[in-house]
């Protein structure tokens, strides 16, 4: 495949994913038809099925690529950066249709016959990287297991964002995530690290 053709294919795939993300976010899997997605993406059926074999294949791509392209907050790895990442994601969930669609599809997998926890595992590993860095810097209590805490955070965050979405369209998600950390930190952060952590994003 020549460079120009390959570049065009990449742009077409991105356009399809963007349109699908918007529609899955707006109306869910069932109501987001392939024809609506093609119309919004301004692509032909041939282009659509070149990249994705079915709507469920497209939904799976949106779900598993939800973190792609996010510009996570910079800084030294550890507890503070982990807090900053979760607050950044709270803000992105208010405005980023690709992330919102990926999160929605992960929850609604039963609607399209999928049972895939890879999106959750992606975030658990990302959080675990920060927790392992925190461990090396003496920021964690001895009994706090990095992998267990990462999964606890993913589970708690998922429920927190879902309830915020149902209640107020995620308008208060930043506050709810801050509250989550206020109660989680005493169980994982060392006495020396805890006073240095902030929620200032």
């Amino acid at each position: 495949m020549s460079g120009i053709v390959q570049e065009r294919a990449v742009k077409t795939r991105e356009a399809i994913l963007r349109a699908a993300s918007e529609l899955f976010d707006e109306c869910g899997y069932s109501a987001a038809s392939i024809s609506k997605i093609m119309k919004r993406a301004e692509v032909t059926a041939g282009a659509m099925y070149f990249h994705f074999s079915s709507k469920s294949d497209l939904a799976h791509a949106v779900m598993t690529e939800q973190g792609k392209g996010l510009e996570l907050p910079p800084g030294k790895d550890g507890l503070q950066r982990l807090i900053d990442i979760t607050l950044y994601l709270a803000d992105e969930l208010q405005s980023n249709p690709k992330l919102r669609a990926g999160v929605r599809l992960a929850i609604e997998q039963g609607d399209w016959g999928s049972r895939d926890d890879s999106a959750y595992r992606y975030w658990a590993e990302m959080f675990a990287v920060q927790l392992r860095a925190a461990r090396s810097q003496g920021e964690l209590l001895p009994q706090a297991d990095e992998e267990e805490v990462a999964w606890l955070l993913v589970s708690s965050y998922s429920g927190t964002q879902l309830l915020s979405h149902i209640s107020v369209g995620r308008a208060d998600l930043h506050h709810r995530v801050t509250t989550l950390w206020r109660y989680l930190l005493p169980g994982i952060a060392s006495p020396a690290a805890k006073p240095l952590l902030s929620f200032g994003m």
Side-chain angles (χ1 to χ4, degrees):
M1 185 181 289
S2 71
I4 294 175
V5 173
Q6 187 173 16
E7 183 180 352
R8 187 181 304 127
V10 169
K11 288 182 177 178
T12 299
R13 185 178 189 275
E14 289 175 351
I16 294 169
L17 283 172
R18 184 167 55 252
S21 296
E22 292 171 356
L23 285 164
F24 287 141
D25 175 44
E26 291 167 15
C27 52
Y29 177 84
S30 298
S33 66
I34 284 288
S35 60
K36 288 179 181 177
I37 294 169
M38 287 191 301
K39 183 177 180 180
R40 184 166 298 193
E42 298 180 341
V43 299
T44 63
M48 169 67 74
Y49 290 108
F50 174 81
H51 292 283
F52 303 101
S53 61
S54 63
K55 188 170 77 165
S56 61
D57 182 36
L58 176 53
H60 188 267
V62 172
M63 182 181 73
T64 56
E65 295 180 28
Q66 61 181 261
K68 188 177 178 181
L70 292 174
E71 296 182 7
L72 299 179
K76 183 180 179 181
D77 288 347
L79 275 183
Q80 183 61 64
R81 186 159 189 243
L82 178 56
I83 292 169
D84 292 345
I85 289 171
T86 60
L87 293 174
Y88 164 79
L89 293 174
D91 292 337
E92 284 294 299
L93 279 166
Q94 295 177 340
S95 60
N96 185 327
K98 183 177 181 182
L99 179 59
R100 286 200 308 257
V103 167
R104 178 169 183 169
L105 289 168
I107 294 168
E108 297 179 351
Q109 290 186 61
D111 291 352
W112 43 289
S114 179
R115 189 173 180 177
D116 183 349
D117 69 348
S118 58
Y120 296 106
R121 285 189 282 109
Y122 171 86
W123 292 114
E125 177 54 29
M126 180 172 290
F127 294 165
V129 167
Q130 300 305 318
L131 289 161
R132 287 192 285 268
R135 169 69 67 201
S136 69
Q137 293 155 192
E139 295 179 336
L140 294 183
L141 292 171
Q143 68 269 24
D145 179 272
E146 297 94 318
E147 310 305 317
E148 288 183 349
V149 173
W151 275 106
L152 174 64
L153 182 55
V154 168
S155 303
S156 302
Y157 198 101
S158 297
T160 297
Q161 72 82 24
L162 179 59
L163 182 56
S164 176
H165 173 57
I166 292 170
S167 301
V168 292
R170 298 194 182 98
D172 66 352
L173 185 53
H174 194 284
H175 171 72
R176 289 184 189 237
V177 172
T178 298
T179 301
L180 172 63
W181 276 115
R182 282 180 40 234
Y183 287 94
L184 180 60
L185 282 175
I188 67 169
S190 67
K194 192 170 178 292
L196 303 177
L197 302 171
S198 68
F199 310 104
M201 271 195 67

